[in-house]
Amino acid sequence: MKRIAIDMDNVIADVTTAFLDSHEQETQIRLIPDDINGKLESEAFPNVMKWVNTEGYFRNLPVMPDSQGVVKRLTEKYDVFIVSAATEFPRSLYDKMMWLEEHFPFIGWQKVCLCGSKTIVKADILIDDHFKNLDYFEGETFLFTATHNVLADNGRHRRVNSWSEIEKILL
Amino acid sequence: MKRIAIDMDNVIADVTTAFLDSHEQETQIRLIPDDINGKLESEAFPNVMKWVNTEGYFRNLPVMPDSQGVVKRLTEKYDVFIVSAATEFPRSLYDKMMWLEEHFPFIGWQKVCLCGSKTIVKADILIDDHFKNLDYFEGETFLFTATHNVLADNGRHRRVNSWSEIEKILL
C-alpha cells in the first residue's frame, strides 16, 4: 500500500482564509486572494507571526473544500499520513490535533506527524503547497495551489488546484 | 551525513523517575526501578494515563544522565533528529517543545518530529526504548534500556544502557 503524506495548512486547512479574516479584523481592509498572489505570507500579512503563535488560532480554521471526502476515500486505497511542519509554532500543536480530531476523525493520532523539516518523512507521495517541502522529497510530488505559489513553478511538481483534481488523479 | 533519530521518553527524558515520583505522591509508596522491571508502564503505574494527559507533565521531566553532552557531540557528526511518538497525548506536545528548548537548545524546532507511528521516520539509525518502534525500522537500531524492556530481548537490536555507551559506539 503506497503511503501519501498530506500537508495541513493550505491543503486541508484553509489558513489563507483565516489570514484574510484576521487581516480584515485588524485593518478593516478586506483583501481578496488575488491581492496577495505571489506574495509570501509574511509579506501579505505583516502580523502573521503574532497570529500563528496565538493559542487557539489553528483550532478554528475552515476546512478546504472537498478535502474530507477525498482524504477519506484515499484512506481506503493508501496509507494516509497528515504531515504538518508545525514545530516552529509550538502553540499550534495541540490545536492542530483537536482540529484533526474534529474534521478528520478517520485519521487517528497514529497517522499524524508534526515536524520541523519534512526531510524526515518517509512516504511515496507528498501533497504540499511549499517548494521547500516538495523539492527535497524523493517520491511523487503534488504542488497544491495556494496564493503564495500560484505565480511560481519550478517544473518539478505536478500542480493540483483542488481536491476533486487529486481525486481524479489518485483514485 | 548519516541521520540519527533519537526518542525522547526514557532515552533523553527520564519519564520513569517522574512516574515513580507521581506514584509516590499519590500512594505514599516509593517504588524503585527493580520493582517494575519487565512491567508495562500501564501495569506498573495504574494512573499513568491521567498523568500523561495532564498539561505540564512533560515540561519538568529530569534529563537522562549524559544525554545532553553526547547528543550535542553527535550533532557534529550526524544529522540528529529528536523523534517522539507523542500525538497520542496532545497535551504533551507543547511541553515537549519547551522542554527541548530548555535542555537541548542546540536542537532547533527544525529537527524535531512529534508523531504517532514512527514508521513515517526516514533515518539511518534509531535509538529508542520500544520494540514497537525499533522492529519496524529499516536502519540500524539501538534498544535503550528501560525498566519495561530490561527483561525482554528479541535479538534484533543492539542494547545500550547509557549515553556514555552510545558515545563509545557512535563517536
Side-chain angles (χ1 to χ4, degrees):
Chain A
M1 199 181 235
K2 278 193 178 179
R3 178 178 295 157
I4 309 184
I6 300 173
D7 180 32
M8 287 184 78
D9 296 330
N10 285 323
V11 175
I12 61 171
D14 186 1
V15 73
T16 294
T17 291
F19 289 161
L20 292 167
D21 290 347
S22 298
H23 187 81
E24 183 178 13
Q25 280 165 25
E26 294 194 357
T27 64
Q28 284 73 55
I29 297 165
R30 181 72 195 181
L31 299 172
I32 59 167
D34 274 356
D35 295 329
I36 57 170
N37 276 348
K39 288 190 184 174
L40 294 176
E41 284 160 350
S42 54
E43 293 171 336
F45 306 109
N47 290 336
V48 69
M49 290 304 282
K50 184 185 74 181
W51 304 334
V52 298
N53 283 301
T54 300
E55 200 171 341
Y57 197 80
F58 288 89
R59 180 63 188 88
N60 297 305
L61 301 183
V63 179
M64 290 291 270
D66 303 322
S67 60
Q68 287 156 306
V70 178
V71 173
K72 178 101 167 67
R73 288 189 285 283
L74 285 173
T75 62
E76 289 156 20
K77 274 194 63 178
Y78 298 87
D79 182 26
V80 174
F81 273 72
I82 303 297
V83 177
S84 178
T87 53
E88 186 177 1
F89 311 111
R91 285 281 180 211
S92 75
L93 301 170
Y94 179 78
D95 293 334
K96 281 174 179 265
M97 292 306 296
M98 295 300 106
W99 187 92
L100 283 171
E101 198 173 292
E102 178 182 352
H103 300 292
F104 291 80
F106 50 89
I107 303 280
W109 55 263
Q110 296 91 341
K111 298 299 180 79
V112 180
C113 176
L114 305 169
C115 56
S117 157
K118 292 191 186 179
T119 58
I120 192 82
V121 173
K122 190 166 71 177
D124 302 292
I125 299 168
L126 175 61
I127 304 172
D128 206 289
D129 64 319
H130 278 290
F131 292 102
K132 69 182 176 197
N133 298 323
L134 295 163
D135 286 353
Y136 297 94
F137 185 76
E138 286 170 7
E140 196 177 348
T141 47
F142 292 92
L143 174 67
F144 202 98
T145 294
T147 54
H148 66 81
N149 71 33
V150 72
L151 302 179
D153 208 331
N154 64 10
R156 293 170 57 184
H157 316 293
R158 181 166 182 175
R159 184 180 284 277
V160 285
N161 297 295
S162 67
W163 275 97
S164 60
E165 212 176 306
I166 292 175
E167 181 166 33
K168 283 188 198 109
I169 299 168
L170 292 176
L171 288 173
Chain B
M1 199 180 236
K2 278 192 176 180
R3 178 178 295 157
I4 309 184
I6 300 174
D7 181 32
M8 287 183 79
D9 296 330
N10 286 323
V11 175
I12 61 171
D14 187 0
V15 74
T16 294
T17 291
F19 289 162
L20 292 167
D21 290 346
S22 297
H23 187 80
E24 183 178 12
Q25 279 165 26
E26 295 194 356
T27 64
Q28 284 72 56
I29 297 166
R30 182 70 194 182
L31 299 172
I32 59 168
D34 274 356
D35 295 329
I36 56 169
N37 276 347
K39 289 190 184 173
L40 294 176
E41 284 159 350
S42 55
E43 293 171 337
F45 306 109
N47 290 335
V48 68
M49 290 304 282
K50 183 185 75 181
W51 304 335
V52 297
N53 283 302
T54 301
E55 200 170 341
Y57 197 80
F58 288 89
R59 180 64 188 88
N60 297 306
L61 302 183
V63 179
M64 290 292 270
D66 303 322
S67 60
Q68 287 155 306
V70 179
V71 173
K72 178 102 168 67
R73 290 189 284 284
L74 284 173
T75 62
E76 290 156 20
K77 275 194 62 179
Y78 298 88
D79 182 26
V80 174
F81 273 72
I82 303 298
V83 177
S84 178
T87 54
E88 186 177 2
F89 310 111
R91 285 281 180 210
S92 76
L93 301 169
Y94 179 78
D95 292 335
K96 282 174 179 265
M97 292 306 296
M98 294 301 105
W99 186 91
L100 284 170
E101 198 172 291
E102 179 182 352
H103 300 292
F104 291 79
F106 50 88
I107 302 279
W109 55 262
Q110 296 90 340
K111 299 298 179 82
V112 180
C113 176
L114 305 169
C115 57
S117 157
K118 293 191 185 178
T119 58
I120 192 82
V121 173
K122 191 166 71 177
D124 302 293
I125 299 168
L126 175 61
I127 304 172
D128 206 289
D129 64 320
H130 278 290
F131 293 103
K132 68 182 176 195
N133 298 323
L134 295 163
D135 286 352
Y136 297 94
F137 185 75
E138 285 170 9
E140 196 177 349
T141 46
F142 292 92
L143 174 67
F144 202 98
T145 293
T147 54
H148 66 81
N149 70 34
V150 73
L151 302 178
D153 207 332
N154 64 10
R156 293 170 57 183
H157 316 293
R158 181 167 182 174
R159 183 180 286 277
V160 285
N161 297 295
S162 67
W163 274 98
S164 60
E165 212 176 305
I166 292 174
E167 180 166 35
K168 283 187 199 111
I169 298 168
L170 292 176
L171 287 172

